[in-house]
């Protein structure tokens, strides 16, 4: 009896000591990378850098953003899926890589469900229908009229073929009965450079990437694509308010790790990133960029990805959008 009691007590003591030890070891001591699937200057890149800066301080280690642009975020996703599940490599997952790509690319080399561990939803933004200063059509009604008078001639840029911006354009083409030209880029950064420079006319770009250029006056905001107006752009009408009820095409961002990321590590990261998202200066920046409704549990983010995947699979089918060969 005494020996059995001693063993039980010892086991309990060891377990109680092991928990904080595991917790202390949860975060890697070497530098941590947040991989972004788009060029610098785009919405995904901007939000990733805000979070990385705060996590560097919170975790007392170097957290860097690494850009691996191409294939609307799929190249970065494929890369992170193959990395060790030790917490040193995270992906700034995106609607493109985790909701649209599975519908567009059935033979893609990664599985959203099996090759990634959801950590936290970072934010959801509307897209902004924007144009450059040379365009005279600056309302949705006028843009539709312009496209109808010039079929196949008015250009809309996007962050890549099959991107959220591309599908927003396809939804617009179908809803308005127009034929606008799609011009894909390797991310919002280079696309915005060409838009401002006059090489293309319009874009349904992410609010995160477009906002600095709208605020500076280099780009003109025509409409936004959530059912409600974003707090950061209260004077920009929604597509629903502009004659297209039910039109909603958002972009979202979230952090994920490789598929075998330990639960204790993923949970620690989730809780810390939730703290970052609640910091007043971070919340203010995110609001300016239109990124809202981030945070919450790992399970919430996982369920969110599944719902979004079903939604965009239907859009891809209805619009008959084809991915890259």
């Amino acid at each position: 009896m005494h020996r059995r009691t001693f063993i039980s007590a010892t086991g309990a003591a060891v377990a109680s000591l092991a928990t904080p030890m595991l917790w202390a070891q949860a975060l890697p001591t070497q530098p941590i990378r947040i991989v972004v699937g788009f060029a610098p200057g785009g919405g995904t890149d901007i939000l990733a850098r805000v979070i990385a800066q705060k996590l560097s301080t919170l975790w007392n280690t170097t957290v860097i953003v690494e850009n691996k642009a191409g294939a609307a975020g799929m190249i970065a996703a494929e890369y992170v899926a193959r990395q060790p599940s030790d917490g040193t490599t995270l992906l700034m997952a995106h609607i493109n890589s985790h909701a649209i790509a599975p519908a567009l690319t059935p033979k893609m080399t990664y599985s959203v469900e099996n090759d990634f561990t959801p950590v936290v939803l970072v934010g959801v933004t509307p897209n902004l229908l924007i144009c450059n200063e040379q365009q005279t059509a600056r309302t949705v009604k006028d843009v539709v009229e312009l496209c109808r008078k010039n079929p196949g001639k008015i250009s809309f840029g996007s962050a890549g073929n099959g991107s959220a911006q591309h599908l927003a354009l396809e939804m617009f083409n179908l809803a308005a009965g127009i034929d606008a030209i799609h011009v894909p880029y390797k991310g919002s950064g280079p696309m915005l450079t060409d838009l401002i420079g006059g090489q293309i006319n319009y874009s349904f770009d992410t609010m995160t990437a477009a906002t600095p250029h709208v605020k500076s006056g280099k780009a003109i905001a025509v409409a936004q694509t959530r059912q409600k107006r974003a707090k950061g752009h209260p004077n920009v009408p929604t597509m629903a308010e502009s004659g297209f009820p039910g039109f909603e095409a958002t972009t979202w961002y979230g952090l994920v790790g490789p598929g075998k990321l330990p639960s204790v590590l993923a949970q620690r990261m989730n809780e810390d990133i939730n703290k970052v998202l609640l910091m007043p200066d971070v919340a203010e920046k995110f609001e300016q960029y239109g990124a809202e409704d981030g945070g919450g549990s790992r399970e919430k983010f996982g369920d969110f990805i599944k719902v979004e995947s079903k939604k965009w699979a239907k859009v891809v089918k209805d619009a008959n959008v084809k991915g890259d060969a």
Side-chain angles (χ1 to χ4, degrees):
M1 289 288 290
H2 291 295
R3 182 174 181 273
R4 197 177 301 123
T5 302
F6 174 76
I7 291 173
S8 299
T10 302
V14 170
S16 66
L17 288 172
T19 299
M21 287 177 66
L22 285 172
W23 188 255
Q25 295 173 356
L27 291 173
T29 55
Q30 57 266 56
I32 296 172
R33 297 177 297 159
I34 297 178
V35 179
V36 169
F38 303 93
T44 318
D45 180 74
I46 290 170
L47 297 184
R49 291 182 189 278
V50 171
I51 291 175
Q53 183 181 24
K54 293 297 185 180
L55 289 178
S56 292
T57 301
L58 187 63
W59 290 346
N60 194 30
T61 190
T62 302
V63 181
I64 62 173
V65 172
E66 183 175 319
N67 300 87
K68 290 186 177 294
M74 290 179 61
I75 290 175
E78 290 172 353
Y79 172 78
V80 173
R82 298 193 301 266
Q83 299 308 299
S85 298
D86 58 3
T88 60
T89 308
L90 300 174
L91 173 70
M92 189 67 153
H94 189 276
I95 183 175
N96 295 348
S97 63
H98 276 59
I100 295 174
L104 278 175
T105 317
K107 295 182 180 180
M108 66 185 189
T109 61
Y110 62 86
S111 164
V112 170
E113 185 174 356
N114 298 326
D115 293 333
F116 298 95
T117 300
V119 176
V120 67
L121 177 66
V122 170
V124 182
T125 72
N127 292 313
L128 274 180
L129 173 55
I130 56 174
C131 66
N132 53 46
E133 294 179 294
Q134 295 97 312
Q135 305 306 311
T136 56
R138 298 184 178 184
T139 67
V140 174
K141 180 181 178 181
D142 288 345
V143 173
V144 171
E145 184 177 352
L146 177 67
C147 291
R148 286 177 177 168
K149 288 181 177 178
N150 300 276
K153 295 181 180 180
I154 307 304
S155 56
F156 283 69
S158 81
N161 190 45
S163 65
Q165 298 97 315
H166 175 198
L167 289 187
L169 169 60
E170 295 296 342
M171 290 174 64
F172 186 45
N173 279 337
L174 288 171
I178 58 176
D179 177 22
I181 299 173
H182 172 231
V183 183
Y185 288 80
K186 290 185 176 181
S188 289
M191 185 276 295
L192 283 163
T193 298
D194 275 8
L195 178 83
I196 294 168
Q199 281 72 43
I200 55 175
N201 306 123
Y202 293 88
S203 175
F204 280 96
D205 199 22
T206 66
M207 185 172 283
T208 312
T211 289
H213 304 286
V214 171
K215 298 294 186 183
S216 71
K218 294 179 180 179
I220 310 300
V222 177
Q224 53 183 303
T225 64
R226 286 190 89 178
Q227 292 294 305
K228 62 178 181 177
R229 296 189 185 192
K231 295 177 182 178
H233 292 269
N235 298 320
V236 179
T238 66
M239 290 292 292
E241 294 169 332
S242 303
F244 291 89
F247 191 105
E248 184 169 55
T250 63
T251 298
W252 53 262
Y253 317 84
L255 284 165
V256 301
K260 295 182 180 180
L261 188 69
S263 294
V264 64
L265 179 51
Q267 183 60 29
R268 168 70 185 274
M269 289 181 165
N270 171 276
E271 293 178 5
D272 285 348
I273 296 166
N274 268 294
K275 292 175 184 176
V276 167
L277 293 174
L278 290 174
M279 293 178 180
D281 57 335
V282 172
E284 182 180 358
K285 287 181 181 177
F286 273 43
E287 184 176 304
Q288 290 174 356
Y289 292 128
E292 300 175 351
D293 303 327
S297 68
R298 295 164 51 212
E299 293 75 19
K300 173 188 172 184
F301 184 30
D303 291 341
F304 176 82
I305 293 174
K306 293 177 182 177
V307 171
E308 281 286 292
S309 296
K310 291 180 180 178
K311 169 187 172 180
W312 287 103
K314 185 177 187 304
V315 172
V316 167
K317 180 180 179 181
D318 291 349
N320 194 29
V321 179
K322 303 297 182 183
D324 290 326

